[in-house]
């Protein structure tokens, strides 16, 4: 049941160009390595969406218990389990794209001091790269009603699984409390994928798409790397941008972010692309947003 939900969520096909915002440092890394960094979703810039998903689950569970749910212990256990697994569970990695490559909110986040670009990729090219690496692509959901309906379906799936479950098999310790943890584990991967594209409505203007990795259960054996974040080390994996060996990177267009040095910045960006054999079909555009040095 929950697998059907996930399949529907990741069935949308992007038709518009997909823009990836990054700093100059990030841009140089992408050009050199032909990869994007897909970060653990717990460590992404707006990682509060995992907490957002947990809050949605809490609201739905509290509502059902208040209405006299027949198995409040099941729901409370699920809420406790979700709260714990948000920070200690399986790993899921994602990289973000936007339908709009020229958003002021994104320039503020990615081009501080006039150092940023948004890279516009052919959506079919990104889909081919994703398929080769078993990544999925999903369109983020911002609607409160849609999010609430999805979470309700998740809880329905838990209740359905619990109907055929003998909790005595999952007894913990010497107490008499029954545990449903084994059925929660059955849905963990799908729950992570759902949570990865539920975003707070305040981010609606971003129109974000995400490429999402397979779920990683053993980070020691997986190709997990680490980079320096603002206040911690951030786990990430590499997303290969070469859909086919020897084929050019599918970069169609670039926006240069706000900068006080438009002409020479455009010039050096063009030289860097040419030096690395990259020629965006639609060229480079300046964002036209006034820059103010601070």
């Amino acid at each position: 049941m929950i697998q059907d939900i996930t399949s529907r969520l990741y069935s949308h096909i992007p038709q518009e160009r997909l823009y990836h915002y990054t700093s100059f440092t990030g841009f140089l890394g992408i050009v050199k390595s032909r990869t994007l960094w897909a970060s653990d979703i717990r460590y992404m810039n707006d990682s509060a969406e995992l907490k957002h998903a947990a809050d949605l689950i809490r609201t739905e569970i509290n509502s059902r218990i208040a209405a006299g749910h027949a198995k409040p212990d099941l729901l409370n256990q699920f809420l406790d389990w979700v709260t714990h697994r948000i920070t200690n569970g399986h790993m899921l990695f994602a990289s973000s794209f936007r339908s709009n490559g020229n958003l002021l909110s994104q320039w503020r986040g990615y081009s501080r001091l006039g150092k940023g670009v948004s890279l516009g990729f052919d959506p079919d090219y990104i889909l081919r790269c994703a398929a080769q690496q078993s990544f999925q692509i999903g369109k983020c959901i911002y609607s409160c009603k849609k999010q609430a309906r999805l979470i309700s379906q998740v809880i329905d799936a838990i209740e359905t699984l619990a109907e055929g479950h003998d909790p005595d098999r999952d007894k913990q310790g010497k107490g008499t409390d029954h545990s449903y943890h084994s059925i929660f584990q059955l849905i963990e991967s799908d729950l992570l994928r759902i949570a990865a594209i539920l975003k707070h409505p305040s981010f609606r203007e971003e129109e974000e798409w995400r490429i999402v990795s397979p779920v990683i259960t053993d980070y020691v054996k997986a190709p997990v790397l680490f980079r320096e974040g603002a206040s911690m080390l951030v786990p990430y994996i590499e997303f290969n941008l070469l859909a086919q060996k020897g084929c050019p990177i599918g970069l169609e267009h670039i926006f240069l972010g706000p900068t006080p040095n438009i002409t020479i910045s455009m010039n050096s960006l063009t030289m860097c692309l040419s030096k690395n054999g990259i020629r965006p079909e639609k060229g480079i555009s300046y964002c036209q947003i006034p820059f103010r040095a601070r």
Side-chain angles (χ1 to χ4, degrees):
M1 182 176 177
I2 196 168
Q3 291 174 343
D4 291 339
I5 298 172
T6 309
S7 295
R8 289 198 305 272
L9 290 178
Y10 286 88
S11 64
H12 300 291
I13 305 298
Q15 303 297 323
E16 59 274 281
R17 190 176 294 134
L18 296 174
Y19 284 91
H20 179 75
Y21 287 78
T22 187
S23 64
F24 281 165
T25 299
F27 165 74
L28 291 172
I30 291 167
V31 166
K32 181 179 180 180
S33 68
R34 298 304 205 261
T35 64
L36 293 179
W37 288 356
S39 299
D40 183 333
I41 59 174
R42 297 178 178 90
Y43 294 83
M44 295 181 76
N45 291 341
D46 41 14
S47 58
E49 62 252 21
L50 273 188
K51 181 180 181 300
H52 178 60
D55 289 342
L56 291 169
I57 290 172
R58 180 177 293 103
T59 298
E60 178 65 19
I61 284 177
N62 288 341
S63 175
R64 295 193 183 202
I65 291 176
H69 192 275
K71 292 184 177 180
D73 184 50
L74 165 68
L75 299 186
N76 281 321
Q77 280 192 41
F78 182 56
L79 180 57
D80 290 343
W81 180 85
V82 166
T83 302
H84 172 72
R85 297 300 286 180
I86 279 179
T87 54
N88 299 284
H90 297 335
M91 302 178 79
L92 191 70
F93 296 81
S95 191
S96 298
F97 296 86
R98 270 74 179 179
S99 301
N100 189 334
N102 190 18
L103 278 173
L104 178 59
S105 61
Q106 296 304 293
W107 293 130
R108 285 173 172 163
Y110 289 93
S111 62
R112 294 168 185 168
L113 303 177
K115 298 187 291 185
V117 293
S118 68
L119 310 177
F121 292 93
D122 174 2
D124 291 336
Y125 178 83
I126 293 297
L127 284 169
R128 290 198 301 273
C129 291
Q132 290 178 1
Q133 298 165 79
S134 299
F135 274 63
Q136 294 176 292
I137 187 164
K139 190 173 186 178
C140 290
I141 297 171
Y142 303 92
S143 165
C144 293
K145 289 184 179 180
K146 288 183 179 180
Q147 291 180 0
R149 185 163 59 248
L150 276 171
I151 294 302
S152 179
Q153 292 171 354
V154 169
I155 306 301
D156 289 344
I158 289 293
E159 293 176 351
T160 299
L161 286 170
E163 289 175 1
H165 176 72
D166 178 8
D168 284 330
R169 291 180 302 179
D170 284 351
K171 278 186 178 179
Q172 295 180 330
K174 298 180 180 180
T176 58
D177 290 342
H178 293 164
S179 170
Y180 293 92
H181 282 209
S182 64
I183 66 170
F184 302 156
Q185 292 165 5
L186 295 175
I187 61 94
E188 181 168 3
S189 293
D190 287 286
L191 183 58
L192 266 179
R193 292 188 183 97
I194 293 169
I197 56 174
L198 298 184
K199 296 201 65 176
H200 194 279
S202 61
F203 294 107
R204 185 186 303 274
E205 73 161 357
E206 295 178 1
E207 300 178 36
E208 182 177 348
W209 291 82
R210 282 188 170 175
I211 51 169
V212 177
S213 75
V215 172
I216 291 178
T217 59
D218 186 347
Y219 70 89
V220 174
K221 295 180 179 179
V224 177
L225 304 170
F226 295 87
R227 62 179 175 84
E228 182 179 346
S231 59
M232 66 193 76
L233 294 176
V234 177
Y236 73 94
I237 60 176
E238 293 182 330
F239 178 80
N240 195 332
L241 284 172
L242 294 178
Q244 186 175 341
K245 190 174 181 179
C247 76
I249 189 171
L251 188 58
E252 291 188 333
H253 178 247
I254 296 179
F255 274 111
L256 173 64
T259 175
N261 305 297
I262 301 172
T263 302
I264 59 174
S265 186
M266 289 282 280
N267 187 50
S268 61
L269 183 56
T270 301
M271 287 192 295
C272 179
L273 290 167
S274 298
K275 186 75 175 177
N276 286 276
I278 300 175
R279 296 174 179 82
E281 179 184 342
K282 302 298 181 180
I284 306 172
S285 303
Y286 180 57
C287 68
Q288 302 296 328
I289 295 175
F291 177 89
R292 175 179 294 177
R294 295 182 179 179

